[in-house]
Structure formats: C-alpha cells, structure tokens
Amino acid sequence: MDMQEEIEGLAILIRDLRKHKNLTLGELAERIGRSVGFLSQVERGLSRPTVADLTAISEALGVPTTYFYSLSKPRALPWVTRPGERRTLYYGGGITDVLVSPNMSSGFSMLDSHLEPGATSGEGHLNDSDEQGGFVLAGELTIWLEGSAEPVTLGPNDGFQLPPHTQFRYANLTDQPTRVLWVFR
C-alpha cells in the first residue's frame, strides 16, 4: 500500500469503530478534546491525527492503540514480516510508525518509529493503557513525563520503559531524523 492508501485505511478503521460504538462525531470529538471538523477530516482521510490524537481516540473507543495497525498484509511466513508486508501509520506532527510485529495477538507489539526533524507526538500528554518502552536506534528522542521538572533526552543505544497510563509526550528537537524501536505490551 502507498501512503494515501494507508491514511485512507486508518480513516476507515476509526470511522467504522466509532459507528460500531454508536458514537456521533460530536461525542467522540468531545471525548478527545478536538473539533468535529478535525475528526471529520481524519475520518475522510484528509487530515492525519498526531500520536496523541490517535492515543486519545483509542482510549475513548476502548481499544489499544495497536488496534489501528490491524489491516494486515499478506505474508510469506506468519511469524515474519518483511519491509513490503508491514502496516504503516503516517501521523501528523512528522511521525511515521511501521508495525514490525507479525501480529498483535501476542504479548507485545513492536514499532519502528521514524521522527522527522522537529517531529512531535502532539501538544498533550499521552495516556496509553499499554506498558511501553523503546530503544533509540538513531538521532535523539526527548521525553517529557508529567510531573517531572525537566525533559530527558535519549540518544543512540539509550532505552526506556514506562508503566501503563504514564502521562508523557515526546519529540525530536534536532535537525536530524530519529528512529526508535518502540515496544508495547
């Protein structure tokens, strides 16, 4: 799939899940703190949500964020993914996540997260119900934990682990791309 097909696939997943949960655009928009117009554009594939937006949508709809990676592509081996077989989410804010895990029914999922220079997860703190961690492969990742006085900047070969419902946001504050192997459980 190309980028536009991936964006349209995400739009369909969000819209169908919202309708399945019997929520109006207005009700979901209110729950995530965004406008009806923005959410309508996301559901039509015209705008991309930030990581914070998609996390809020998943929490409001009662599914893990990894639900939105569920459009599978055909694979030669069920326990292996190769680059052309992976699902990709293109977020607003300059972040692209590639699902590296062959499936999401196991105990954890892995993402190859690409952050463009200046990329951000969004203005609000994430509050994901999943435990998660990461390993910085290249570049720098700055993380702000709610309640902490200063952000922490991680470089190549640095790792981190956050318990469920940790409130945080992250960004690439440099002029170089950043790559992070992100793990969710």
Side-chain angles (χ1 to χ4, degrees):
M1 278 195 238
D2 68 14
M3 181 178 181
Q4 190 56 41
E5 290 173 322
E6 295 279 4
I7 291 168
E8 290 169 4
L10 175 63
I12 291 166
L13 280 174
I14 293 171
R15 183 181 59 243
D16 288 353
L17 183 58
R18 175 186 57 79
K19 287 181 176 184
H20 176 73
K21 300 281 186 169
N22 294 316
L23 291 174
T24 66
L25 270 171
E27 290 168 332
L28 182 56
E30 184 177 326
R31 287 184 185 186
I32 67 169
R34 295 298 300 248
S35 71
V36 171
F38 170 76
L39 190 57
S40 174
Q41 287 184 337
V42 167
E43 286 192 359
R44 291 182 289 139
L46 302 175
S47 289
R48 293 182 283 169
T50 64
V51 174
D53 292 329
L54 194 61
T55 300
I57 290 168
S58 70
E59 293 293 317
L61 295 175
V63 296
T65 307
T66 53
Y67 170 85
F68 297 108
Y69 293 91
S70 65
L71 288 180
S72 62
K73 296 181 179 183
R75 292 188 307 275
L77 297 169
W79 52 277
V80 173
T81 60
R82 303 204 189 276
E85 303 168 341
R86 296 181 181 143
R87 175 95 170 101
T88 302
L89 287 183
Y90 299 91
Y91 293 104
I95 297 174
T96 301
D97 282 345
V98 179
L99 181 65
V100 179
S101 300
N103 68 64
M104 293 180 302
S105 59
S106 298
F108 65 93
S109 299
M110 296 180 295
L111 301 175
D112 182 6
S113 217
H114 299 252
L115 290 81
E116 296 171 8
T120 175
S121 63
E123 298 205 10
H125 283 85
L126 305 173
N127 181 10
D128 200 322
S129 58
D130 290 327
E131 178 180 3
Q132 54 193 291
F135 182 77
V136 179
L137 298 167
E140 290 185 358
L141 181 70
T142 300
I143 300 175
W144 291 263
L145 292 180
E146 187 174 60
S148 293
E150 297 292 324
V152 174
T153 299
L154 305 172
N157 297 315
D158 287 342
F160 64 93
Q161 187 170 359
L162 303 170
H165 296 289
T166 298
Q167 303 242 345
F168 72 102
R169 63 187 180 91
Y170 61 93
N172 172 6
L173 301 178
T174 72
D175 61 357
Q176 299 295 313
T178 295
R179 261 183 86 202
V180 179
L181 177 62
W182 214 279
V183 179
F184 292 84
R185 185 175 75 122

